[in-house]
Structures are given as structure tokens and as C-alpha cells.
Amino acid sequence: MTVHAPVAIATLLSLLVYVWMIMRVGGARRRSGINAPAMTGDPDLERNIRVHLNTLEWLPLYLPSLWLFALAWGQDWVAAGLGGVWMLGRILYALGYVKDPGKREMGFMIQMLATAILLFGALGRLVWSVVMGG
């Protein structure tokens, strides 16, 4: 399978970033001694859980937009590059938020911008092709 391989790789790497966040929640649980199902009681655990859940909230916007952008434009490498930007933003968000919630903004804005380009880029291209008939 070489068709859309860059986008598939970006998708899988994005999911591995998400798995990394899941593992960080587990580590925070061990350090704090707070077992599931409890989700409160230690600021480090709470911040790691919030990072994990915020990323889960963004995945349904990001992943379809990534693929639809690539399919609409026929630009796998551009879509995959924007996927890399998204991953970088999520990692910066995670590291910043866990350290100090006030330091999450840059990472959040980076991933939001990447998602917006993918989403509106795909939507614009598809609407244009419908309006213009092709």
C-alpha cells in the first residue's frame, strides 16, 4: 500500500502521540498513588488526565480533516506535514500544561491552526469542486 502512505503514517504517529499521553496518565497515577476510577486528588494526575481528554476531544476534528484534505487536494505530503505540525502542537501542549496550565497556549494554538487549515482547506476545496462542477 503506497497510496496515501504519508497520511497513513501521520495518522498512526498521531495515535502514538495519544498513546504516549495515556502512558503519562498511568505514570501520574503510580506517582500519586491514586488508583482508577478516582480522577482527582493530585494536581499532576489531574493535569495529565486533562491533557489526555483534551487530545481525545480534538482527534475527531483532526483525523477526518487530515484525510479529507489529502483526498480533496491530492496532497498527501502537505497533509502529512500539517499532521506533523498537529503532533508537535499536542506534545508542546502536553508538556506545557503538565508543568503549568498557563503554559499550554502555544501548543494549543499550533495544533488548532493545523486542524483549521486541514478542516477549512478540505471544506473549501470540496465546496469549490461542487460549485464549479468538477
Side-chain angles (χ1 to χ4, degrees), residues 44-79:
D44 181 58
L45 173 61
E46 292 170 9
R47 288 189 299 264
N48 275 286
I49 289 171
R50 190 63 211 126
V51 164
H52 167 245
L53 292 176
N54 186 264
T55 302
L56 181 60
E57 293 162 3
W58 275 92
L59 282 171
L61 295 169
Y62 160 67
L63 288 175
S65 298
L66 174 73
W67 279 93
L68 291 170
F69 181 97
L71 293 172
W73 286 96
Q75 296 291 327
D76 287 0
W77 285 105
V78 173

Side-chain angles (χ1 to χ4, degrees), residues 8-67:
I9 291 167
T11 299
L12 295 170
L13 290 175
S14 297
L15 294 174
L16 288 174
V17 168
Y18 183 64
V19 168
W20 171 71
M21 292 175 184
I22 293 168
M23 302 301 289
R24 289 173 55 93
V25 171
R29 282 195 180 283
R30 280 190 300 284
R31 287 189 302 276
S32 68
I34 299 174
N35 297 317
M39 295 180 67
T40 61
D42 179 75
D44 181 58
L45 173 61
E46 292 170 9
R47 288 189 299 264
N48 275 286
I49 289 171
R50 190 63 211 126
V51 164
H52 167 245
L53 292 176
N54 186 264
T55 302
L56 181 60
E57 293 162 3
W58 275 92
L59 282 171
L61 295 169
Y62 160 67
L63 288 175
S65 298
L66 174 73
W67 279 93

Side-chain angles (χ1 to χ4, degrees), residues 73 122-134:
W73 286 96
L123 180 61
R125 178 67 171 196
L126 292 168
V127 168
W128 178 261
S129 70
V130 168
V131 170
M132 298 308 288

